[in-house]
């Protein structure tokens, strides 16, 4: 749920969240992720730590805004029926979000890799791609832009074969009705998808087809996606 990697010497130690059996499971550029029990329930706490190179007032505003926006986006998903972790508690003093731990889950990234290696997963992967397209159409029709779509930011509840997808890591999310923002969202996923999963162009096309069929607002979004792709190719040619 945290993005990238970071030098921990730039950051302060995490405040001790009120959780039992607390353990660090991921260190990212913007946040640390812990697992433990929150009021007796398996939980994950995402702590946005201070970046010392930023001005303190700017840093505090940025951390609080991103924490609030992530919590709002998760609640918006669940309110509209999109599967996302339950928000148990938000602490705006320490900038921590306490979330449901999807116990036993696997990332969509790991599932695709496993199915490709087995050589038997063509039909299940096509169905998975279509389900992702359907969920993203639903999300974008609610004018919610994820901001960091990758197959690592999608979980499969156990058993994975049921393809029950849970969206996570809304730290860069925002609300927008602009087709440009939604087109960029899809472009980010496409770049991440094809770089992580080689030879899956047909799978991503199946995802986009389902997105187009399921979304009431897909036509201008797909048009913008094509424009963003063209800009990306031009940048690559120029270097």
């Amino acid at each position: 749920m945290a993005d990238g990697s970071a030098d921990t010497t730039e950051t302060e130690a995490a405040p001790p969240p009120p959780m039992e059996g607390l353990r660090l499971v991921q260190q990212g550029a913007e946040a640390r992720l812990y697992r433990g029990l929150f009021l007796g329930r398996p939980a994950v706490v995402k702590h946005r730590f201070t970046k010392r190179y930023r001005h303190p007032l700017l840093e505090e505003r940025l951390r609080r805004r991103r924490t609030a926006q992530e919590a709002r986006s998760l609640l918006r998903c669940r309110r509209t029926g999109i599967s996302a972790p339950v928000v148990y508690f938000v602490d705006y003093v320490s900038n921590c979000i306490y979330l449901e731990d999807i116990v036993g889950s696997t990332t969509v990234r790991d599932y695709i890799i496993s199915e490709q290696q087995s050589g038997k997963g063509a039909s299940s992967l096509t169905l998975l791609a279509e389900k992702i397209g359907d969920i993203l159409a639903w999300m974008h029709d609610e004018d919610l832009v994820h901001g960091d779509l990758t197959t690592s930011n999608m979980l499969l509840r156990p058993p994975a074969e049921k393809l029950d997808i849970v969206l996570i890591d809304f730290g860069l999310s925002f609300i927008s009705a602009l087709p440009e923002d939604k087109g960029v969202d899809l472009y980010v996923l496409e770049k991440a998808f094809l770089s992580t999963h080689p030879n899956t162009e047909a799978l991503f096309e199946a995802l986009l087809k389902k997105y187009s069929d399921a979304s009431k607002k897909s036509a201008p979004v797909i048009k913008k996606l094509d424009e963003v792709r063209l800009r990306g190719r031009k940048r690559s040619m120029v270097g």
Side-chain angles (χ1 to χ4, degrees), residues 47-209:
H47 170 233
R48 277 191 174 77
F49 48 72
T50 300
K51 306 303 285 288
R52 298 193 185 282
Y53 59 79
R54 293 190 187 121
H55 187 281
L57 292 178
L58 173 63
E59 170 66 9
E60 183 57 28
R61 281 199 297 268
L62 184 61
R63 290 170 68 208
R64 186 164 297 186
R65 187 174 73 225
R66 287 184 175 173
T67 298
Q69 184 56 56
E70 180 161 14
R72 281 196 295 266
S73 294
L74 288 163
L75 292 170
R76 190 182 185 100
C77 279
R78 293 187 60 81
R79 198 163 48 237
T80 57
I82 298 169
S83 190
V86 175
V87 178
Y88 291 145
F89 179 66
V90 183
D91 183 351
Y92 291 110
V93 175
S94 62
N95 288 297
C96 289
I97 304 178
Y98 298 81
L99 301 165
E100 172 193 10
D101 188 1
I102 313 298
V103 178
S105 64
T106 186
T107 64
V108 167
R109 174 187 182 277
D110 289 345
Y111 180 79
I112 292 175
I113 291 172
S114 174
E115 290 294 289
Q116 286 180 319
Q117 290 174 345
S118 74
K120 301 182 292 185
S123 60
S124 66
L125 288 181
T126 300
L127 182 58
L128 174 65
E130 291 173 345
K131 291 198 75 168
I132 293 171
D134 193 38
I135 291 168
L136 298 185
W138 193 354
M139 182 182 75
H140 282 173
D141 280 1
E142 293 293 328
D143 293 335
L144 177 57
V145 176
H146 186 280
D148 189 22
L149 284 173
T150 69
T151 52
S152 294
N153 286 340
M154 303 173 191
L155 302 180
L156 291 170
R157 292 185 189 272
E161 294 74 19
K162 286 190 174 181
L163 305 183
D164 184 1
I165 299 170
V166 183
L167 296 184
I168 63 169
D169 206 349
F170 283 82
L172 298 178
S173 65
F174 57 97
I175 303 301
S176 174
L178 296 177
E180 170 85 11
D181 290 331
K182 298 171 186 177
V184 170
D185 218 21
L186 294 178
Y187 181 70
V188 168
L189 176 60
E190 181 178 39
K191 296 290 284 184
F193 196 101
L194 298 181
S195 63
T196 305
H197 310 290
N199 305 314
T200 54
E201 289 81 3
L203 274 182
F204 197 79
E205 284 305 311
L207 186 159
L208 285 183
K209 183 178 186 306

Side-chain angles (χ1 to χ4, degrees), residues 215-231:
S215 171
K216 303 184 183 89
K217 310 174 184 179
S218 64
V221 175
I222 297 300
K223 181 179 178 182
K224 286 297 181 181
L225 171 60
D226 289 337
E227 292 175 10
V228 174
R229 283 168 166 167
L230 182 59
R231 294 202 297 266

